[in-house]
Amino acid sequence: MDTLVGIGTISAYTYSALITLFPPIAKALSAEMHTYFDVTIVVVGFVLLGKYLEANSKLKTGAALEKLIGLQAKTALVRRDKDTVELALEQLQLGDIIIVKPGAKIAVDGEILEGGSNVDESMVTGESIPVSKQVGSNVIGGTLNKSGSFEFKATKLGKDTTLAQIIRLVEEAQASRAPIQKLVDQISAVFVPSVLAIAAITLIAWLTVGTVVLGFSSALSLGFICFVGVLVIACPCALGLATPTAIIVGTGLGAQHGILIKDAQHLETLSKAKIVVFDKTGTLTKGKPEVTDILTFAGISEAELLATTAAIETKSEHPLAEAIVNKALQMKLELPSISKFESIEGKGVVAQIGEASFIIGNQSLMNDHKIQLSNEAKELSQQGKTAIYIARGQSLVGIIAVADTLKEETLHTIKQLQDMGLRLVMLT
């Protein structure tokens, strides 16, 4: 592409400059004093515009990589020689003991030695509910510690971490060449010499045959404009720009939306796909639990049940508790004050509000307190919802169902894909 544009524009510019700067030469060659500066400017302008668009798309898609790199923690609290020091990631060593506080990003991959917490790993897995981590559990660099604190031993650093491998995957995809690009190279290897030959034959034909009919000066002028025209018009700009730009934009936009494309070959093969397999959490759903149902018994109102439960759950660190508290805040409910609170790991909480004692948790906690359950929870469970039981004293007063709800655009997207004749599968 550059060869054709270069020869064409340089020839047009050189010819125009000669007849402008040296009028005697112009008079000898052509009485009409034709110059082709406009051709040169327009062609170079179009090519530069194409280059600019390509460079701009690369910059935009580079933001996808920047976003991934931004997920990395910048520093880590490290225990060194009985002291706790804050070090940059580059200064970490394998086997370092790293301290992670609530709300902090985990610096590198490692194994927990002391403490425990709930870690938000949605960056890697897409799962909205934080994963419980105990001594011996593995943690991934770039994920978020939601609650609790712990110490872990660094087992992978730098390019070996999970996040670094994801970043490398995106970089390799953007640099890879699609099969169609190899075809473009094969075509160009024949196409460019052929165009140069046709342009040369065109000029020679005008100088020989044209001179006999029109005279040398007119034949030269017309022959030259045809020579430049063949070179520029035949320039395969689309072949040179379209394919790499499409690959860069495609892989970059994919990365921004959490879709990792291994290489350009797979991006091209995707057009032949007949079946689309979806993950559920964070893909079809919002990836964040929300309150979907509030069932009440024993004469308690929905607002009173939600306000009471939210007041107690504000003391809890469980991921589902956050969904209940958020729902109460959305409804602008006034939360009562609680006097006692006890968390029962893996089951729920027990609390006191005024003279009444409340038990909030799963079926196992209700069974421990010999509380009679209703049949509605079974139906909620079949709908993929998590049932949270609320008992006052020894009586069940309500059930709050929490679930990961569909994204607003999911139904529209599914219908569009089905209309395209694709078979859709949910693998979860």
Side-chain angles (χ1 to χ4, degrees), residues 155-196:
T155 56
K156 289 181 181 177
L157 300 176
K159 66 181 189 320
D160 296 323
T161 62
T162 303
L163 184 57
Q165 289 177 40
I166 291 172
I167 292 168
R168 188 162 66 249
L169 191 69
V170 176
E171 285 176 334
E172 287 172 358
Q174 292 193 343
S176 63
R177 294 170 66 81
I180 195 170
Q181 282 181 279
K182 293 173 185 173
L183 179 63
V184 168
D185 289 342
Q186 290 169 359
I187 292 170
S188 297
V190 177
F191 183 79
V192 173
S194 301
V195 170
L196 288 171

Side-chain angles (χ1 to χ4, degrees), residues 203-215:
L203 179 60
I204 292 166
W206 273 105
L207 291 177
T208 52
V209 180
T211 299
V212 175
V213 179
L214 302 172

Side-chain angles (χ1 to χ4, degrees), residues 216-418:
F216 177 73
S217 61
S218 295
L220 176 64
S221 180
L222 288 167
F224 184 75
I225 193 68
C226 290
F227 170 77
V228 173
V230 169
L231 289 176
V232 172
I233 291 167
C235 170
C237 300
L239 290 180
L241 293 176
T243 309
T245 303
I247 289 165
I248 291 162
V249 172
T251 53
L253 283 174
Q256 285 176 359
H257 290 86
I259 301 167
L260 297 181
I261 299 161
K262 189 173 181 183
D263 56 41
Q265 180 179 343
H266 292 90
L267 183 63
E268 187 176 321
T269 310
L270 184 62
S271 64
K272 298 170 186 172
K274 301 294 181 206
I275 301 171
V276 179
V277 182
F278 282 101
D279 176 38
K280 178 178 70 69
T281 308
T283 304
L284 300 175
T285 62
K286 293 176 183 175
K288 192 174 182 182
E290 293 180 357
V291 172
T292 57
D293 302 85
I294 302 173
L295 307 179
T296 61
F297 314 105
I300 192 170
S301 68
E302 282 191 13
E304 186 185 350
L305 178 73
L306 186 59
T308 301
T309 309
I312 295 167
E313 294 290 18
T314 53
K315 301 287 185 182
S316 173
E317 294 179 339
H318 196 279
L320 297 181
E322 189 178 341
I324 295 172
V325 174
N326 287 340
K327 181 69 174 178
L329 292 174
Q330 285 172 15
M331 294 176 65
K332 297 180 180 176
L333 299 177
E334 189 175 335
L335 307 185
S337 57
I338 65 174
S339 52
K340 289 182 183 177
F341 178 87
E342 181 190 355
S343 177
I344 301 164
E345 192 171 339
K347 293 185 177 182
V349 297
V350 176
Q352 186 98 11
I353 296 179
E355 298 296 318
S357 62
F358 286 87
I359 303 163
I360 300 173
N362 57 22
Q363 186 175 338
S364 176
L365 183 62
M366 298 297 125
N367 291 339
D368 290 348
H369 287 80
K370 297 181 173 54
I371 294 166
Q372 190 71 33
L373 301 178
S374 68
N375 295 324
E376 284 90 340
K378 188 176 181 182
E379 188 180 333
L380 293 170
S381 179
Q382 287 173 345
Q383 295 171 10
K385 299 171 182 177
T386 303
I388 299 167
Y389 298 93
I390 301 99
R392 183 171 54 196
Q394 291 300 113
S395 302
L396 185 71
V397 293
I399 300 172
I400 295 178
V402 177
D404 188 8
T405 56
L406 285 177
K407 290 180 179 177
E408 287 77 7
E409 64 270 23
T410 295
L411 291 175
H412 177 65
T413 303
I414 294 294
K415 189 175 185 309
Q416 273 190 313
L417 292 171
Q418 287 174 336

Side-chain angles (χ1 to χ4, degrees), residues 11-300:
S11 301
Y13 181 83
T14 304
Y15 174 84
S16 302
L18 278 174
I19 63 173
T20 302
L21 297 173
F22 304 102
I25 294 176
K27 191 174 181 181
L29 292 178
S30 174
E32 297 177 15
M33 291 289 287
H34 281 311
T35 61
Y36 305 109
F37 291 119
D38 53 345
V39 175
T40 307
I41 292 166
V42 170
V43 170
V44 172
F46 267 119
V47 172
L48 288 177
L49 176 63
K51 296 281 188 187
Y52 165 76
L53 292 173
E54 183 183 15
N56 196 41
S57 68
K58 283 181 180 178
L59 283 174
K60 283 181 180 176
T61 54
L65 282 177
E66 286 177 22
K67 194 174 178 183
L68 286 172
I69 293 165
L71 293 173
Q72 293 177 311
K74 303 294 184 287
T75 59
L77 282 174
V78 183
R79 199 181 295 286
R80 289 262 179 99
D81 302 324
K82 297 182 181 179
D83 292 326
T84 302
V85 291
E86 189 170 357
L87 300 176
L89 291 194
E90 299 77 31
Q91 296 174 283
L92 297 181
Q93 299 172 3
L94 282 175
D96 271 342
I97 307 301
I98 298 170
I99 302 164
V100 183
K101 295 181 177 180
K105 276 185 182 177
I106 296 167
V108 292
D109 296 6
E111 182 183 334
I112 295 181
L113 300 178
E114 186 180 317
S117 181
N118 291 314
V119 177
D120 181 355
E121 293 186 342
S122 58
M123 174 202 82
V124 176
T125 64
E127 289 295 331
S128 58
I129 297 176
V131 181
S132 176
K133 300 287 185 179
Q134 307 298 332
V135 173
S137 299
N138 291 322
V139 291
I140 301 169
T143 56
L144 186 65
N145 179 31
K146 296 287 282 186
S147 60
S149 60
F150 58 89
E151 296 182 9
F152 74 95
K153 180 174 71 174
T155 56
K156 289 181 181 177
L157 300 176
K159 66 181 189 320
D160 296 323
T161 62
T162 303
L163 184 57
Q165 289 177 40
I166 291 172
I167 292 168
R168 188 162 66 249
L169 191 69
V170 176
E171 285 176 334
E172 287 172 358
Q174 292 193 343
S176 63
R177 294 170 66 81
I180 195 170
Q181 282 181 279
K182 293 173 185 173
L183 179 63
V184 168
D185 289 342
Q186 290 169 359
I187 292 170
S188 297
V190 177
F191 183 79
V192 173
S194 301
V195 170
L196 288 171
I198 292 167
I201 290 168
T202 302
L203 179 60
I204 292 166
W206 273 105
L207 291 177
T208 52
V209 180
T211 299
V212 175
V213 179
L214 302 172
F216 177 73
S217 61
S218 295
L220 176 64
S221 180
L222 288 167
F224 184 75
I225 193 68
C226 290
F227 170 77
V228 173
V230 169
L231 289 176
V232 172
I233 291 167
C235 170
C237 300
L239 290 180
L241 293 176
T243 309
T245 303
I247 289 165
I248 291 162
V249 172
T251 53
L253 283 174
Q256 285 176 359
H257 290 86
I259 301 167
L260 297 181
I261 299 161
K262 189 173 181 183
D263 56 41
Q265 180 179 343
H266 292 90
L267 183 63
E268 187 176 321
T269 310
L270 184 62
S271 64
K272 298 170 186 172
K274 301 294 181 206
I275 301 171
V276 179
V277 182
F278 282 101
D279 176 38
K280 178 178 70 69
T281 308
T283 304
L284 300 175
T285 62
K286 293 176 183 175
K288 192 174 182 182
E290 293 180 357
V291 172
T292 57
D293 302 85
I294 302 173
L295 307 179
T296 61
F297 314 105
I300 192 170

